[in-house]
Amino acid sequence: MAQVDDKLKDYEIRKEGEAEILLHKRNAVFYNPVQFLWKSISDQVVHSKFTSFYGFGCYFEFTISRYAREVEGLGKVVALDNDKASVEDCKRNIKFNGASATSEVEAYLVDARIHMLMHPKEFDVVDLDPYGSPSIFLDSAVQAVADGGLLMCTATDMAVLCGTNGEVCYSKYGSFPTKGKYCHEMALRILLASIEVHSSASEIKNTPLKLSYIYQCVGCDSFHLQCLARTVPKKNNGVKHVPAIGPVVPQECSDCGKKFNVGGPIWSAPIHDQDWELHDIPLFFSLHNIAGTVKCTSPSLVMFRSAVLNAGYRISSTHVNPLGVKSDAPWDVIWDIMRCWVKNHPIKEQPRDTPGTAILSKSPKLEANFSRAVAALSKARAKKIKRFLPNPERHWGPKVRAGRKITSKHVSLLGPEAINGAVNGGGDCHKEGNGAAAPDNTAPEPEGIKEVVENEPSIKRQKTSDEPASEP
Ligand SMILES: [Zn+2]
């Protein structure tokens, strides 16, 4: 017994759901509590119908252990990593989780891409969870999923997908990001577009209808989507795909007169639950940002939503940002609403060459009606359901990547407790196991840390007038 205790002294036991894992104290950096909810959700999804499973990546010990312990009827779980220490940890934890886990789970030290390519369509579920970009695994992962199966993918290089480095994003995902408040939704849509291009030839012919380029005005908030293709009827039944007609925008923004950046392609087909937000409207804008562009105090969210609804268009919140709105109203209508708002809430004189001045120099064609529309409250707000919960503890979020130099910025963002663990264990942590032969370190700073910053709603530009614009 003393021997066992002695062996365990370097480990702490962490519990998630039904599973427990032994976490080496020096590797505490690899445990990310933020992923608990996601793992619980994926657990539920896998629960529903799947029986064979591929897991791979740094956090996989918990994921694998949880699948093995919690998902009934699971035939086989295969865990892959190219990092020896990770695979040993995984094997140790499979054993630690008892007989049921041991009989179902196999762990291999292997390049995950080669293994997956050698087992095409063999797995109902493939869960990619590398530390960094999943881009190099997408092709092999798509090939390994059985027809009707599920591919789960974690990308911790959100900063790249969000547009901090367009060149890196293009080199990894084949898509150029644009700058907008919608960056987190765009990130997901870039990843989806990138996965889609690896699908089979028969499926991919419909793909151009689901992909769009983004035209983002560099002066104001206006953005427009240009689909890659359209369908025309064939002579004898059916349809064929032909190039779309474009561009959807003039050379200069008709709202503010500035040029457009072109980004994408992104996945622009519906991805959201329509009970939650307008599912056919990709990307959103921020009410505070458009108020900031014309330098006015922002109308409340309810008033703005009412004005859009009263003008005959649809509008919804977005799950990404408390101040974000999705609408099918064209941008000239959105700006007309703001022009009418500014008429009643005058602003100080602004320099002549700003986009806001250009927008306000035009007279509105529409008389905005801000009186409260019945559907102006979001469903969540009407039911008094909180949609954007505070973090459960201070400095909530991923810890610093193993081996990374700790800066004062990390300390201020993540707190001294999170940093201490990384500093103490950082030197001899097992190196990141990407499952690939050559780990890819080209992603720039700050990855997960950036996430913490960008998840904060922007409150810098304007204060609201009547009531807070944010959700309850
Ligand atoms: Zn513009």
Side-chain angles (χ1 to χ4, degrees), residues 242-254:
V242 295
I245 292 172
V248 290
V249 291
Q251 282 285 310
E252 273 129 30
C253 174
S254 46

Side-chain angles (χ1 to χ4, degrees), residues 217 220 253 256:
C217 175
C220 70
C253 174
C256 76

